[in-house]
Amino acid sequence: MVRSSVVLAGVMCLLAVVAGPGGAAAGDAGAAKAPPTTNPADLKELRPGILAGYLPREEAIDSLALLGPPPDAGSAQQARDEAARLAALKQRDTPRARVAARDAVYSFPRAVDAFSCTIGVEINEKTTPHLNMLLRRTLTDAGLATYKAKNNYNRQRPYVAANDNGTCFADHEEGLRKDGSYPSGHAAFGWAWALILTEALPSEANAIIQRGYDFGRCQRWPSGRRSGGGAAARQP
């Protein structure tokens, strides 16, 4: 699961570099460019709080071409997934579960603030306006990139299959019942953000990558993702 999200995140990180903060393609060199906007009101919202990304919807990364199917029912890999889910359930009402619930919030500025402690810089519209906008828009691109495979495989979410509502963020449970769990959009944009931030702060790469890894494992935790310690458990 994590491996697939790393592939997508790598593609999305490359996209961010190629598109640049203004969203222009590298082939547009030579044309006069206005400073990239940092005002969310200048951009279309796909839904409240979610801004349009850099890629048109029809040009989204083809995740189905990148990923094979999820584990088969009764397979050893599926058994490992279920064992990880059951182990995670035991960590309800712990600091790890509270971090997971915090990471499940996609709204800004709270979403990217999950990385602020790791890099030692507050990420928001006022203090880091361009970085904030880059992360807001790549969230959309990375998340949408998962849907071709997600819709094709339509893997049932672990808490739905187990019928135990075992997630860290109850507010999302009902809305996600019919939304496929593979590949994880949450893990994809968490990894994309981690890779983007390592480009900005290579001296903190190890901590940032660890945070991105833990952020991805928080997806609907505890609902089939491996849990445990790591950088996320130490976030404020």
Side-chain angles (χ1 to χ4, degrees):
M1 300 298 184
V2 172
R3 177 188 59 82
S4 66
S5 297
V6 172
V7 173
L8 290 172
V11 174
M12 293 315 305
C13 185
L14 177 61
L15 166 67
V17 172
V18 172
D28 292 339
K33 297 179 183 178
T37 184
T38 59
N39 182 5
D42 293 338
L43 299 169
K44 177 182 178 181
E45 283 191 334
L46 302 185
R47 55 188 174 86
I50 303 298
L51 298 179
Y54 294 105
L55 283 177
R57 186 68 179 265
E58 64 274 12
E59 295 180 16
I61 301 301
D62 185 354
S63 54
L64 187 58
L66 297 174
L67 302 176
D72 293 327
S75 68
Q77 189 175 0
Q78 176 58 34
R80 288 194 295 271
D81 276 4
E82 177 62 8
R85 186 187 72 84
L86 293 174
L89 288 175
K90 297 178 182 179
Q91 296 194 48
R92 283 175 169 170
D93 301 319
T94 67
R96 180 69 173 98
R98 288 191 289 274
V99 170
R102 170 249 184 87
D103 288 350
V105 177
Y106 297 178
S107 60
F108 280 73
R110 191 174 182 188
V112 290
D113 188 56
F115 285 83
S116 291
C117 186
T118 305
I119 68 173
V121 176
E122 187 176 357
I123 305 172
N124 59 44
E125 284 186 50
K126 293 184 178 180
T127 58
T128 57
H130 291 285
L131 178 60
N132 183 71
M133 182 61 72
L134 176 63
L135 298 183
R136 287 194 73 165
R137 297 187 70 182
T138 51
L139 177 152
T140 300
D141 285 326
L144 290 179
T146 65
Y147 268 91
K148 195 163 184 180
K150 188 187 290 280
N151 291 340
N152 180 77
Y153 296 125
N154 196 29
R155 189 187 193 198
Q156 199 172 42
R157 290 181 181 264
Y159 74 91
V160 177
N163 194 30
D164 65 2
N165 292 335
T167 78
C168 66
F169 202 71
D171 290 354
H172 287 172
E173 286 173 6
E174 189 57 38
L176 291 171
R177 283 187 171 275
K178 295 182 180 180
D179 185 64
S181 68
Y182 174 85
S184 165
H186 184 96
F189 67 68
W191 272 106
W193 285 346
L195 292 172
I196 289 167
L197 290 169
T198 61
E199 292 293 321
L201 286 169
S203 63
E204 302 298 325
N206 288 342
I208 293 168
I209 290 298
Q210 180 65 57
R211 182 65 178 110
Y213 176 67
D214 287 325
F215 186 95
R217 294 196 302 175
C218 283
Q219 166 62 356
R220 305 295 164 254
W221 187 96
S223 63
R225 300 293 177 197
R226 296 178 187 271
S227 62
R234 298 190 293 273
Q235 293 295 311

